[in-house]
Amino acid sequence: MRSRTVRIILLLLMVMGFGLVGPQKSEAQVSCSTFEETGQEVCYDFLQYWLDHGKLAQQGYPITGRIQERSETDGQVYLVQYFERAVFELHPENEAPNNVLLSLLGTFRYKEKYPDGAPGQEPNNTPGSVLYNETGKRVGGVFFDYWQKNGGLAQQGLPISDEFTEKSDIDGQSYRVQYFERAVFELHPENEPPYNVLLSQLGTIRKKTLEGTPVNFTTTDGVKLAGSQYGTGSTAVILSAICSPDGKDGWTGFALNLAAKGYMALTYYYRGLGTSGGRADMTLLDTDLHAAIAFARSQGAKKIVLAGGSCGGTISLKASATEKPDAVIVLASPLTLPNIEVSTDELKNITVPKLFAGSADDPFTARIEEMYALAVEPKEKLIYPGRAHATDIFTTEHGDDLTQKLLSFIEKNVPAR
């Protein structure tokens, strides 16, 4: 995480006019494999686990690169990689092979889809079936045979449901299924063994949930931008990213929290980044933000909250002069970007509630302190220990506190309804 922060700071310094040495060619990686089907690379411990634990049949193809993510199981942040049927978590504190563990995707999906338990469950009482006292569920027949032959407890986890019929989120067909902590077994009697039992693509489903609803909107100069909308509602929170290619992802967890609270949350790629069109241009970031605000209003938003990290915070403040939002959140942002400057007069004229946040050892936090001193009431300030930059704070031990304080600030000042 620290190296990611350094890269972001160097990028900002570069675009603000400080000379830097150009990027150096990295050494060729070893023990890696690129999957042409998805264009994703799997390396080192993750690749070894994939090879040793069922490969394509058990794990599926990789569908993301390696990312930092906070676990829903224990609240800790791990390096993870998504596959079609699983999510790998790196646990360097453990000896191999337990240094790679699988996220409890079956548990997460079951709780999300069936908070009161799945209807129509039928325990498998065929000869040889086993009751697991830990969960009170039985496994038998072809599902038990598959469980035993394909990793058992370590790979699949305990059963958390009995068998029932479910419509697939992937192909819309109905299958006999059973949920386990780390997987969902699907019965395919039309296939010959061992393909008569297949695993649901829980990794694909979870990734789609995290991605929100894909949206597109066009800037006033004709550039088509790509974004993700989470939830609906009359209050929209526009989340502007840090200045890095994957910066949009830094807001994903918070966007999901907002949607659960009844807000519309919008994340987006700046022009030339991700799946947005055009060429990257730091001088037009505010134009991109204005397009995102216009889109939210076209979707029914009556109130607007602007929140941004690093350069996203700068343009959020700048836009406040003309867009008149109902609240503003700024995480570790400079006052000046190329051709974009928040003047002292503009800052003093922003009279809506404002929250400024950063990390004590982040070089840009000095700007946060300056902004806070110049800003008029109502205003709040959060400074955390460490050097995590902007949305990277979400991946630290202070992430939960930052999430709750930002949510409280928004709910207090701009209710969802």
Side-chain angles (χ1 to χ4, degrees), residues 350-404:
I350 300 172
T351 59
V352 299
K354 298 164 288 296
L355 188 151
F356 301 91
S359 297
D361 297 326
D362 178 355
F364 285 90
T365 297
R367 298 299 189 189
I368 289 296
E369 298 281 10
E370 181 182 352
M371 290 179 190
Y372 181 79
L374 291 171
V376 298
E377 296 287 354
K379 59 183 179 180
E380 298 179 30
K381 181 176 66 172
L382 297 171
I383 304 298
Y384 291 97
R387 62 181 300 111
H389 182 63
T391 48
D392 278 347
I393 300 173
F394 287 122
T395 68
T396 71
E397 67 271 27
H398 309 295
D400 286 341
D401 186 75
L402 177 62
T403 296
Q404 292 308 313

Side-chain angles (χ1 to χ4, degrees), residues 110-350:
Y110 190 73
K111 288 180 178 178
E112 175 187 338
K113 197 168 185 179
Y114 306 108
D116 299 320
Q121 297 185 49
E122 298 176 339
N124 190 314
N125 293 306
T126 57
S129 64
V130 174
L131 173 66
Y132 289 84
N133 292 325
E134 297 90 338
T135 60
K137 303 300 181 182
R138 301 189 73 90
V139 186
V142 293
F143 282 172
F144 185 54
D145 184 57
Y146 186 93
W147 189 87
Q148 287 184 304
K149 292 179 179 178
N150 292 278
L153 184 63
Q155 176 71 32
Q156 316 298 348
L158 292 166
I160 57 175
S161 81
D162 289 310
E163 296 181 16
F164 63 98
T165 299
E166 179 183 71
K167 186 176 181 180
S168 170
D169 294 297
I170 298 297
D171 64 13
Q173 301 300 308
S174 293
Y175 300 103
R176 186 78 168 177
V177 303
Q178 185 165 12
Y179 275 69
F180 295 77
E181 290 174 307
R182 295 183 169 88
V184 177
F185 291 9
E186 290 181 0
L187 182 62
H188 288 258
E190 73 278 10
N191 296 341
E192 292 294 324
Y195 303 111
N196 57 333
V197 176
L198 300 177
L199 300 184
S200 297
Q201 292 189 25
L202 292 184
T204 299
I205 293 169
R206 183 165 176 80
K207 181 173 179 285
K208 287 182 177 179
T209 299
L210 296 176
E211 289 174 342
T213 301
V215 296
N216 295 103
F217 44 90
T218 304
T219 65
T220 54
D221 59 340
V223 176
K224 187 176 182 180
L225 303 182
S228 298
Q229 180 179 329
Y230 300 83
T232 58
S234 59
T235 300
V237 183
I238 314 298
L239 302 165
S240 296
I242 61 177
C243 290
S244 72
D246 60 349
K248 171 180 174 291
D249 298 337
W251 281 116
T252 297
F254 189 66
L256 289 167
N257 276 288
L258 286 166
K261 296 281 189 179
Y263 291 90
M264 177 199 309
L266 180 66
T267 64
Y268 63 101
Y269 289 111
Y270 300 127
R271 65 183 65 209
L273 298 181
T275 51
S276 286
R279 297 177 59 183
D281 190 339
M282 291 283 294
T283 68
L284 294 173
L285 296 182
D286 55 342
T287 302
D288 296 346
L289 173 55
H290 285 295
I293 296 169
F295 172 79
R297 287 180 170 146
S298 75
Q299 300 303 299
K302 304 301 182 185
K303 295 184 178 181
I304 298 289
V305 177
L306 299 181
S310 199
C311 59
T314 308
I315 59 174
S316 294
L317 282 173
K318 186 69 176 177
S320 297
T322 56
E323 295 286 357
K324 307 299 182 185
D326 298 275
V328 185
I329 294 172
V330 180
L331 305 182
S333 303
L335 281 167
T336 302
L337 296 171
N339 289 351
I340 302 172
E341 180 181 0
V342 181
S343 69
T344 299
D345 287 342
E346 285 177 317
L347 187 56
K348 290 181 177 179
N349 286 330
I350 300 172

